């Protein structure tokens, strides 16, 4: 029995019938960061005012955090940044052809920037970075306590992305036009709203699929205006239960029920009415909630995992989105996208950082 019903099948096949998994058909734009990951203790979190399962931007109070993280705990370095992670996972799930995923973001001309370029190359992602010398490549402290993670992002170069210096260039915009599916995490709202809107409007005007992630509670709290400027263009909205609750609070939805929050987010005004919005909210080990048109909710159980097999949940959300996008761009039904998201997340949480084996075993 198809849990989505024939109507949703028909909708998605109709919308995606012209899609092929060809080079540059999936486009991502965001903050490329080098993750510095370590298992820490509660005292470390308390010292820097951090909460488990949260993400914030670094400020003056976090100046010593990065040095202490490296000096006090055994740290690992991984290519990071939410959108870049998801594009890397999508490409890993697709395998061939290479460079289905395109990624734009800003880095510094430095050692960390070179590492990110190398990782993109290894991951077969077609990364086109805006490289500048004023700011160093951004970093993200990934502070792990048990199966929870607290992220502190020092955007640095990532915050220096310029629409007129990169996105507007003819050769770069040609790559945007080549894509059929677009994905941007809400974190990029803090960097270049005008770049997001240019891409989102292009998607709506050409009946392509634009996807956005709520990313972190602080986005709904402090970047609400920018978020709601982009929302009418969003065809697929991602988030977890914490982000959904904060979004609901900011929108005065007057409910904390995740299914109701998904329904209300789905019903927000939309620019391209040819595509009903789909809202996908994950809930850790609990069922994933999917809201679609006609007030319809579907729930999907995640893959079971023994808690002792969980190494690092940092990349779980990014991996879920990457798996989802890998099927979306290949014309697969929506439930298949959710299954791929669950599979990718299940693989990544067994490893350190948003990393994965050479090939997926998703059939």
């Amino acid at each position: 029995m198809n849990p989505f019903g024939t109507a949703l099948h028909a909708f998605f096949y109709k919308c995606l019938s012209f899609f092929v998994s060809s080079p540059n058909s999936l486009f991502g734009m965001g903050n490329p960061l080098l993750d510095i990951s370590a298992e820490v203790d509660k005292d470390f979190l308390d010292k820097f005012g951090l909460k488990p399962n949260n993400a914030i931007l670094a400020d003056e109070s976090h100046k010593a955090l990065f040095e202490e993280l490296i000096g006090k705990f055994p740290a690992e370095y991984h290519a990071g940044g939410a959108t870049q992670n998801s594009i890397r996972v999508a490409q890993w799930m697709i395998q061939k052809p290479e460079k289905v995923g395109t990624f734009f973001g800003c880095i510094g001309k430095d050692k960390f920037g070179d590492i990110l370029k190398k990782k993109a190359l290894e991951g077969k992602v077609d990364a086109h970075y805006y490289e500048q010398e004023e700011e160093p490549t951004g970093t993200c402290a990934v502070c792990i306590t048990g199966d929870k993670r607290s992220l502190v992002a020092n955007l640095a170069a990532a915050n220096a992305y310029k629409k007129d210096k990169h996105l507007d260039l003819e050769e770069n915009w040609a790559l945007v036009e080549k894509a059929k599916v677009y994905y941007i995490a809400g974190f990029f709202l803090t960097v270049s709203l005008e770049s997001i809107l240019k891409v989102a409007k292009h998607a709506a005007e050409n009946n392509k699929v634009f996807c956005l992630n709520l990313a972190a509670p602080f986005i709904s709290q402090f970047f609400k205006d920018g978020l709601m400027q982009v929302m009418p263009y969003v065809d697929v909205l991602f988030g977890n239960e914490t982000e959904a609750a904060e979004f609901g609070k900011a929108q005065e939805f007057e409910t904390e029920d995740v299914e109701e929050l998904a329904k209300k987010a789905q019903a927000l005004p939309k620019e391209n009415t040819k595509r009903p919005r789909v809202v996908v909210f994950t809930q850790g080990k609990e069922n994933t909630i999917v809201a679609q048109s006609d007030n319809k909710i579907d729930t999907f159980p995640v893959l079971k995992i023994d808690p002792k097999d969980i190494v690092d949940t940092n990349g779980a959300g990014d991996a879920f989105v990457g798996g989802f996008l890998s099927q979306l761009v290949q014309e697969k039904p929506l439930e298949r996208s959710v299954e791929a998201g669950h599979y990718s997340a299940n693989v990544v949480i067994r490893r350190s950082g948003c990393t994965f084996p050479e090939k997926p075993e998703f059939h």
Side-chain angles (χ1 to χ4, degrees):
M1 177 70 71
N2 170 23
F4 276 88
T6 54
L8 186 67
H9 258 295
F11 157 64
F12 254 75
Y13 278 125
K14 184 180 176 186
C15 290
L16 297 173
S17 60
F18 64 94
F19 285 9
V20 288
S21 180
S22 56
N24 306 112
S25 54
L26 173 63
F27 175 86
M29 180 168 61
N31 300 331
L33 303 172
L34 190 71
D35 285 349
I36 304 171
S37 179
E39 287 193 31
V40 302
D41 50 36
K42 187 177 181 297
D43 289 345
F44 184 86
L45 295 186
D46 292 343
K47 179 176 179 179
F48 293 101
L50 307 180
K51 297 175 185 173
N53 272 358
N54 197 17
I56 62 171
L57 295 177
D59 59 28
E60 287 299 309
S61 68
H62 303 112
K63 269 192 169 176
L65 182 150
F66 290 86
E67 283 184 22
E68 190 165 321
L69 186 69
I70 296 165
K72 193 174 177 183
F73 306 97
E76 294 184 5
Y77 296 84
H78 300 285
T83 302
Q84 184 168 237
N85 281 345
S86 294
I87 299 299
R88 285 171 54 238
V89 169
Q91 182 63 56
W92 169 68
M93 286 285 283
I94 292 166
Q95 290 283 306
K96 298 286 184 183
E98 297 177 356
K99 297 187 175 181
V100 170
T102 310
F103 177 75
F104 285 6
C106 183
I107 60 174
K109 292 185 177 179
D110 51 30
K111 185 177 72 174
F112 285 173
D114 289 340
I115 292 173
L116 288 184
K117 285 192 284 186
K118 182 170 174 280
K119 294 290 184 186
L121 215 58
E122 289 171 359
K124 315 301 182 190
V125 170
D126 194 17
H128 292 257
Y129 296 114
Y130 169 45
E131 297 182 54
Q132 47 74 62
E133 296 180 358
E134 289 74 36
E135 293 285 343
T137 297
T139 51
C140 181
V142 182
C143 309
I144 302 164
T145 49
D147 64 351
K148 297 180 170 57
R149 88 288 184 271
S150 185
L151 309 180
V152 185
N154 178 26
L155 296 183
N159 204 33
Y161 188 84
K162 298 284 186 290
K163 173 177 167 287
D164 58 332
K165 297 277 182 69
H166 195 258
L167 184 66
D168 291 344
L169 299 184
E170 189 178 342
E171 63 271 25
N172 290 336
W173 187 249
L175 290 168
V176 176
E177 292 180 318
K178 202 174 173 185
K180 300 292 188 291
V181 175
Y182 303 85
Y183 173 65
I184 298 174
F187 293 119
F188 203 59
L189 286 163
T190 72
V191 174
S192 184
L193 174 60
E194 60 177 357
S195 294
I196 300 175
L197 285 170
K198 182 173 182 179
V199 172
K201 287 175 181 176
H202 168 80
E205 287 162 7
N206 293 276
N207 197 27
K208 299 176 180 181
V209 182
F210 182 79
C211 311
L212 185 80
N213 199 316
L214 292 175
F218 80 86
I219 297 295
S220 292
Q221 288 171 324
F222 305 117
F223 295 89
K224 176 184 170 183
D225 290 349
L227 177 61
M228 297 318 292
Q229 282 185 57
V230 176
M231 194 58 67
Y233 302 98
V234 177
D235 298 302
V236 182
L237 179 68
F238 297 102
N240 64 28
E241 75 277 28
T242 312
E243 295 151 7
E246 199 56 55
F247 180 68
K249 203 182 293 180
Q251 298 303 313
E252 299 179 350
F253 283 165
E254 296 181 345
T255 180
E256 292 182 2
D257 181 85
V258 180
E259 291 190 12
E260 289 302 312
L261 289 167
K263 284 181 187 177
K264 288 177 179 289
Q266 192 282 329
L268 288 168
K270 193 163 185 302
E271 193 71 25
N272 179 10
T273 54
K274 294 174 189 172
R275 293 184 182 280
R277 180 180 293 118
V278 174
V279 176
V280 185
F281 286 158
T282 57
Q283 305 184 92
K285 63 184 180 183
E286 304 302 326
N287 289 349
T288 292
I289 306 294
V290 177
Q292 45 183 306
S293 55
D294 304 323
N295 228 16
K296 184 170 166 51
I297 288 283
D298 284 284
T299 60
F300 292 87
V302 302
L303 296 173
K304 287 188 169 59
I305 184 170
D306 190 318
K308 72 177 191 319
D309 292 330
I310 297 174
V311 174
D312 179 2
T313 59
N314 176 39
D318 299 340
F320 173 85
V321 172
F324 188 104
L325 295 173
S326 76
Q327 304 305 297
L328 181 62
V329 80
Q330 292 185 88
E331 311 177 37
K332 301 295 167 63
L334 186 55
E335 66 267 30
R336 185 68 171 161
S337 294
V338 176
E339 289 170 5
H342 286 162
Y343 169 79
S344 299
N346 188 272
V347 169
V348 165
I349 61 177
R350 298 170 188 269
R351 305 164 66 90
S352 181
C354 191
T355 61
F356 30 81
E358 187 181 347
K359 290 186 176 176
E361 294 179 4
F362 178 73
H363 308 293

